[in-house]
Amino acid sequence: MTDIRDRDHEPAGDDDRRTLEAQAALLSGRDFWSTREGGGIRSLVLVDGPHGVRRQAGTADNLGFNQSLPSTCFPPGAGIASSWDPALVREVGEALGREARALDVDVLLGPAINIKRSPLGGRTFEYFSEDPRLTGALAVEYVRGVQSTGVGTSVKHFAVNSQETERMRVSAEVDDRTLREIYLPAFERVVKEAAPTSVMSAYNAINGVFSSENRWLLTGLLRDEWGFDGLVVSDWGAIKDRVDALAAGLDLEMPGTGDEGTEAILQAVRDGRLDRSVVETSVERLRGLAERTAPTTGPAGFDADAHHALARRSAAASVVLLRNERETLPLRADQHIAVIGELAVQPQYQGGGSSHVNPTRVDVPLDELRRALGDERVTFAAGYAKGATEAATDAMLDEARGAAASVDVAVVFVGLYEEDQSEGFDREHLDLPAAHTALIEAVAEVAARTVVVLSNGGVVTLEPWHDRVEAIVEGWALGQAVGSALADVLTGSTNPSGRLAETIPLALTDTPSYLNFPGEQQIVRHGEGVFVGYRYYTSAQRAVRYPFGHGLSYTTFGVESFEVETTGHDTAVARVTVRNTGAVAGAEVVQLYVAPAPSDVRRPVRELGAFAKVSLEPGEAVTVTLELERRAFAHWDVRGSRWRVDPGTYRVELGRSATDIIDVRELPLVGDVDRPAPLSLVSTVKEWFSHPIVGPALMQGMMANGTPEQQAAAEANGNALKMVESMPMGQFARFPGVEIPDDALEQLIALSVASAQAEPAV
Ligand code: BGC
């Protein structure tokens, strides 16, 4: 007898079978970077991303080993996020889109928007921030920018790709509230506001289920809840079981696996394990992607000079001036400067791995400083050299001391090399290379003033030398215009306006994930929960070297007014008037934090609620309007599986950083006033007594008819009740002397059930 499932799923004839085969084949890549052609769908090219187009003409690889065609290397995520400037990210996105189009690319594999959980994470140089709101706001504009050119994006890595250690095997164990509040919101916002053409699944598992085979993630959440209508592509080689992945909602397998994926799909349809319609739906999504990204004009080049200028402007806007004692910066034209450090001539400006871009050109810091200040005013000493012997390093240190002692300002270039920060592995410490630290200390001893310029995709410790230098310029990863952008900031032709998108801690042991990173035995417990980054440091009152949001300027800003009012249902608007009170033009980042109303759940003491970057001429003032959406006040209520705003008074805090709060407004919100849940014998004594209807009835009954013990218990209320308040009523009611009769309890339970079904309380 033929199994009914076989009849349903067995293609009727040869034509039909061939159609299915052709369809299944489309769902696995043709090679490393392109999809197959067929069924009226053209072949698509998908390449990295995120901060430049990595189009390989020769041998393909996804780890950045082989050369790619030249394209502009814009600042990687760690850099550009420090600009706190969504409009700038959009401009960069548009330029990336134009380059992608010119290089015959249909989908750029970016933005990379995982949350920086630990500064050790190998890909923190690619990711934006430790804060989901900042990440989401920037990612939305990245996607809009790229997609405005017709090129698609692939938002990655969905989700919780917080580390490189064991990235293909590790399971990130994260509770629901933490997922919703920290690791998912940036993805949610991009999907809802920017409609990315595709989403890339992560390598790791989440709570035991691999992202690429995770139906809850790829279908329940992404499509059903958030309304995503694009294509889900695997991270390169992430799929463990092609059929499970397809059934979970993963449409396209990349790179291609020859006929393996196709065969697996066909076999599953034949066996009745996979409905044919699943294949057809994914093919339609691929068709949709091809249509959305179809070129509308013929091939065109891109303006490399204009894009380099944008790379320079965006890099300069991303530099964070951490420290500037004695107004050491900007450098003045009449000063003599010693530029010290090999990184001033061989700059670091991106990290290693799949995002590695072959730049159209690279601006060298020393050359740019000489151009800006005049050759005669700038001397150079290497200070260290990668791979140098101890003796050679000592000699270079001596030379550096000599150079530093004879000038007005010594500018020391230090940082991390590409092999220190890369996809594929995590760092193990936050230290600079030892020769770099030694150089800073040697120079600081002899120089009249020392400026340290950092190039580091991931956070490095500024200890123990921090206090010994006058100025610190955090350059992160700035892309190919690194040299000119740093020279612009050092000489003051660009006023620094970057703000930290991640905390710089005092020590690795202070970081919230320290004891749970990178996990063990292929499990990484996100034990710090929602207390990631500044959410932890501020709540635990742990000192940091520089807080999230920190960044100095060559001018000063004053706040002249700050108003907050509620708008709709638990939303608010803030108006902040800010004036440039200094002598030079500059940009301020207005940061609003929300401190929660009292809550049943432990919440961070403050969370970024809204921000805006404004450029101001000297003396100019502007009033900035910032919307505080409902989500800015809400937390994820695990019991109701929904966003909940606790009723009560919130504080809206105006901050220069997450720890420097300069003004506060109180904001009472109605919030979600829930009907009290029905009581049961398992509900605690406290829940019974605090129930708005049952509580007073119980109290009254005990006073009127109770034994002396009951009356005493009811009267004592406060203290006596406190001792027993966590007891389930069923047990408390049986205590000698308490002895609340069963029928009384039953009546009260019925009352609570009735009140739970009544009209909502106000
Ligand atoms: C990375 C992705 C990248 C892909 C293609 C993977 O190793 O995780 O971010 O897009 O390779 O290069």
Side-chain angles (χ1 to χ4, degrees):
M1 205 171 92
T2 319
D3 183 349
I4 182 109
R5 283 172 308 165
D6 284 343
R7 261 190 284 135
D8 276 357
H9 296 281
E10 183 66 29
D14 279 357
D15 279 358
D16 208 16
R17 199 188 57 240
R18 273 197 294 273
T19 306
L20 177 63
E21 282 170 9
Q23 286 173 327
L26 289 174
L27 301 181
S28 187
R30 177 172 68 187
D31 50 36
F32 233 91
W33 304 118
S34 64
T35 63
R36 289 172 172 146
E37 186 184 341
I41 305 175
R42 69 199 166 89
S43 165
L44 300 173
V45 175
L46 301 83
V47 307
D48 295 298
H51 55 268
V53 182
R54 199 164 78 89
R55 178 77 155 114
Q56 289 183 318
T59 315
D61 76 285
N62 70 321
L63 291 175
F65 298 135
N66 297 311
Q67 248 336 350
S68 51
L69 299 173
S71 68
T72 309
C73 180
F74 290 98
I80 196 90
S82 309
S83 73
W84 286 59
D85 190 346
L88 181 66
V89 173
R90 182 174 180 130
E91 275 188 78
V92 170
E94 288 165 3
L96 286 166
R98 284 191 294 271
E99 294 199 17
R101 201 80 295 174
L103 294 166
D104 212 11
V105 169
D106 298 288
V107 177
L108 195 61
L109 302 176
I113 63 170
N114 296 97
I115 294 298
K116 301 191 197 201
R117 176 176 177 240
S118 165
L120 296 178
R123 295 184 89 169
T124 54
F125 75 92
E126 276 183 77
Y127 298 155
F128 287 138
S129 174
E130 66 190 25
D131 181 78
R133 184 170 296 277
L134 177 58
T135 301
L138 300 176
V140 162
E141 294 306 326
Y142 178 106
V143 169
R144 286 182 178 153
V146 173
Q147 293 192 175
S148 72
T149 66
V151 170
T153 56
S154 198
V155 183
K156 66 190 186 182
H157 309 86
F158 192 52
V160 204
N161 183 194
S162 320
Q163 67 184 59
E164 294 301 282
T165 307
E166 291 277 16
R167 67 173 170 165
M168 290 195 169
R169 300 198 301 172
V170 76
S171 174
E173 305 289 309
V174 199
D175 64 83
D176 276 0
R177 189 179 149 214
T178 303
L179 280 173
R180 295 286 186 159
E181 292 185 25
I182 303 293
Y183 295 101
L184 296 174
F187 287 99
E188 178 180 2
R189 187 157 173 193
V190 182
V191 165
K192 288 182 173 170
E193 293 181 20
T197 56
S198 68
V199 164
M200 183 192 289
S201 66
Y203 284 129
N204 54 281
I206 302 173
N207 297 324
V209 185
F210 280 100
S211 302
S212 301
E213 281 112 34
N214 196 321
R215 198 181 154 72
W216 166 75
L217 187 74
L218 303 183
T219 298
L221 189 72
L222 182 64
R223 295 190 189 281
D224 299 347
E225 208 180 305
W226 298 347
F228 177 67
D229 64 356
L231 174 121
V232 175
V233 59
S234 68
D235 197 346
W236 266 229
I239 291 180
K240 300 216 163 26
D241 183 313
R242 182 63 188 108
V243 175
D244 286 354
L246 190 60
L250 193 148
D251 306 301
L252 176 64
E253 173 186 44
M254 285 300 286
T257 50
D259 292 335
E260 212 181 299
T262 313
E263 284 303 326
I265 292 170
L266 292 173
Q267 191 58 47
V269 174
R270 269 184 234 121
D271 297 350
R273 282 182 290 123
L274 185 73
D275 202 292
R276 184 176 178 166
S277 66
V278 176
V279 178
E280 288 162 352
T281 303
S282 288
V283 169
E284 285 317 301
R285 291 186 189 134
L286 185 65
R287 188 187 308 284
L289 179 65
E291 285 167 2
R292 273 183 85 182
T293 59
T296 49
T297 54
F302 63 91
D303 184 341
D305 290 339
H307 286 191
H308 184 73
L310 175 59
R312 177 173 181 168
R313 182 156 55 86
S314 50
S318 304
V319 172
V320 186
L321 180 62
L322 295 175
R323 174 176 169 89
N324 194 16
E325 296 298 295
R326 296 164 60 209
E327 294 186 351
T328 296
L329 291 176
L331 301 171
R332 294 196 312 271
D334 62 349
Q335 289 174 322
H336 282 92
I337 312 294
V339 172
I340 303 175
E342 195 187 31
L343 287 182
V345 288
Q346 287 173 26
Q348 274 305 131
Y349 54 92
Q350 61 179 332
S354 63
S355 67
H356 190 97
V357 172
N358 177 17
T360 58
R361 73 187 79 158
V362 176
D363 290 345
V364 173
L366 177 63
D367 298 348
E368 299 297 329
L369 280 168
R370 284 199 162 131
R371 207 189 315 278
L373 298 169
D375 281 358
E376 65 292 351
R377 296 203 179 273
V378 180
T379 55
F380 172 70
Y384 55 81
K386 202 156 61 157
T389 61
E390 215 179 304
T393 304
D394 287 347
M396 283 185 278
L397 270 185
D398 279 347
E399 188 204 4
R401 276 193 201 94
S406 58
V407 293
D408 301 301
V409 186
V411 184
V412 187
F413 284 76
V414 293
L416 298 178
Y417 298 105
E418 200 168 310
E419 56 266 35
D420 297 326
Q421 49 195 357
S422 169
E423 176 177 344
F425 61 91
D426 297 311
R427 285 187 296 155
E428 289 174 4
H429 57 74
L430 300 181
D431 300 337
L432 284 168
H436 296 210
T437 311
L439 177 66
I440 297 170
E441 295 190 329
V443 168
E445 251 170 45
V446 296
R449 291 166 185 242
T450 305
V451 176
V452 171
V453 179
L454 293 160
S455 295
N456 49 307
V459 167
V460 291
T461 179
L462 312 183
E463 317 311 319
W465 48 266
H466 175 274
D467 294 352
R468 286 176 232 153
V469 304
E470 276 66 33
I472 305 177
V473 174
E474 176 55 271
W476 296 118
L478 290 179
Q480 68 180 44
V482 53
S484 48
L486 285 171
D488 289 344
V489 168
L490 290 166
T491 59
S493 66
T494 295
N495 188 350
S497 63
R499 301 286 184 268
L500 291 181
E502 57 193 300
T503 308
I504 301 182
L506 282 165
L508 177 62
T509 47
D510 290 341
T511 58
S513 59
Y514 177 64
L515 295 176
N516 285 309
F517 185 95
E520 53 225 356
Q521 297 167 352
Q522 294 161 35
I523 287 182
V524 57
R525 219 164 56 79
H526 285 43
E528 69 285 3
V530 300
F531 294 91
V532 172
Y534 70 89
R535 286 170 168 76
Y536 168 74
Y537 300 111
T538 52
S539 304
Q541 297 182 7
R542 191 166 279 271
V544 298
R545 174 47 80 190
Y546 287 111
F548 174 83
H550 169 78
L552 305 176
S553 168
Y554 297 149
T555 188
T556 49
F557 300 97
V559 171
E560 297 190 346
S561 73
F562 173 34
E563 294 160 14
V564 183
E565 59 178 339
T566 47
T567 46
H569 181 46
D570 299 332
T571 54
V573 66
R575 284 181 203 88
V576 183
T577 304
V578 51
R579 185 181 297 279
N580 181 345
T581 49
V584 290
E588 170 71 313
V589 178
V590 179
Q591 304 170 36
L592 287 186
Y593 294 86
V594 172
S599 176
D600 284 349
V601 297
R602 187 179 274 261
R603 300 193 61 187
V605 300
R606 67 179 56 94
E607 298 181 88
L608 185 69
F611 68 92
K613 189 168 194 176
V614 283
S615 294
L616 294 167
E617 292 300 317
E620 189 186 351
V622 72
T623 300
V624 193
T625 302
L626 299 109
E627 308 282 346
L628 286 157
E629 53 184 16
R630 190 167 193 279
R631 194 65 80 75
F633 304 100
H635 70 273
W636 181 256
D637 170 21
V638 286
R639 284 201 286 207
S641 289
R642 54 160 190 177
W643 291 100
R644 181 173 204 278
V645 174
D646 290 314
T649 300
Y650 290 73
R651 287 154 53 93
V652 178
E653 305 175 326
L654 181 60
R656 291 222 158 90
S657 73
T659 60
D660 184 7
I661 301 301
I662 53 175
D663 210 349
V664 178
R665 294 287 176 273
E666 296 209 328
L667 186 74
L669 294 181
V670 175
D672 294 308
V673 185
D674 300 330
R675 278 171 270 176
L679 295 168
S680 73
L681 295 180
V682 185
S683 308
T684 63
V685 169
K686 183 179 180 184
E687 285 161 354
W688 277 71
F689 274 98
S690 58
H691 189 282
I693 292 161
V694 173
L698 183 61
M699 182 75 83
Q700 201 187 17
M702 286 173 84
M703 294 300 289
N705 315 317
T707 61
E709 287 86 349
Q710 285 175 346
Q711 286 178 0
E715 255 177 357
N717 207 318
N719 284 345
L721 209 54
K722 223 172 168 42
M723 287 166 56
V724 295
E725 68 181 17
S726 64
M727 281 181 79
M729 181 55 101
Q731 283 150 277
F732 176 68
R734 288 202 298 272
F735 261 40
V738 178
E739 292 155 18
I740 306 174
D742 286 355
D743 57 343
L745 291 175
E746 271 160 30
Q747 277 173 28
L748 290 168
I749 288 174
L751 193 60
S752 79
V753 171
S755 75
Q757 285 158 0
E759 284 305 298
V762 182

